Amino acid sequence: MYKWRKAVLALMVFGSLLAAGCQGDELGTGAVVGNEPKVLMTEQTNMLTLNQDEQKLYDSFKEKYDFEVLKDADPIMVAKLYVHAVITQDAETQYELTMHAPEAVPVSKEQFVSEVRQNNGKTAKAFKDMFSGVQTVKFVEVDRGSGYIEFLMNGEESGQLLMGRDERGIWKMKEMPHQ
């Protein structure tokens, strides 16, 4: 199709992960004292596998993409569901778990799914490599409607998954504004 659309897909999938190094000091630049990002939760978890309860939640959400199913899901749980959708190449669920920025280049669900299928599993492999060995993740709240999941990639470099709450209060992965 359009070569730039493939590039957009790659940016959309990797954009939030490539935010490595954009941590507290950058996010806090110009912030009013008391408004700094706060670590709300830290969890020991394998981002590449879902436990039985998480798998039930994933399956229930996927059945009808009913966001009420996710109303009590914390941001780390939603991030795990998103990572699972990516590594299993479940493009429909991946699309549904993404908060689509109004300023982003609009991509329909059908187009997104098609482009993920054309990717031939490269993104899934990249996620598996990136999250291999990640044992601890934390959710850092920037404000009441946004934050990020932070983790150490390969035990050294910090990576982030950007998150936001939609109008219903459901956590989703944030699409990068330049997409």
Side-chain angles (χ1 to χ4, degrees), residues 87-108:
I87 65 174
T88 61
Q89 298 180 54
D90 180 356
E92 293 89 355
T93 304
Q94 184 182 341
Y95 182 89
E96 294 294 336
L97 289 171
T98 302
M99 178 178 281
H100 304 283
E103 67 275 12
V105 175
V107 176
S108 70

Side-chain angles (χ1 to χ4, degrees), residues 15-135:
S16 59
L17 290 174
L18 296 178
C22 296
Q23 298 159 14
D25 57 342
E26 280 187 45
L27 288 174
T29 303
V32 176
V33 175
N35 289 340
E36 297 86 12
K38 299 174 193 117
V39 176
L40 289 188
M41 63 182 69
T42 301
E43 190 174 309
Q44 298 287 321
T45 188
N46 180 341
M47 292 293 288
L48 295 174
T49 59
L50 299 179
N51 66 34
Q52 191 173 27
D53 291 335
E54 293 164 342
Q55 185 66 53
K56 284 180 187 176
L57 182 63
Y58 184 87
D59 293 340
S60 180
F61 174 68
K62 182 178 171 162
E63 191 175 303
K64 296 182 184 175
Y65 296 119
D66 177 7
F67 286 95
E68 278 299 304
V69 170
L70 300 178
K71 71 179 181 340
D72 295 324
D74 65 54
I76 292 175
M77 172 76 69
V78 172
K80 284 190 73 172
L81 299 179
Y82 179 83
V83 169
H84 182 74
V86 172
I87 65 174
T88 61
Q89 298 180 54
D90 180 356
E92 293 89 355
T93 304
Q94 184 182 341
Y95 182 89
E96 294 294 336
L97 289 171
T98 302
M99 178 178 281
H100 304 283
E103 67 275 12
V105 175
V107 176
S108 70
K109 185 175 182 177
E110 295 76 22
Q111 183 178 4
F112 180 85
V113 168
S114 172
E115 291 172 1
V116 167
R117 289 189 180 133
Q118 290 174 7
N119 184 280
N120 293 323
K122 292 175 190 165
T123 303
K125 181 180 178 346
F127 266 60
K128 287 176 187 175
D129 292 346
M130 190 157 309
F131 285 104
S132 176
V134 171
Q135 297 174 9

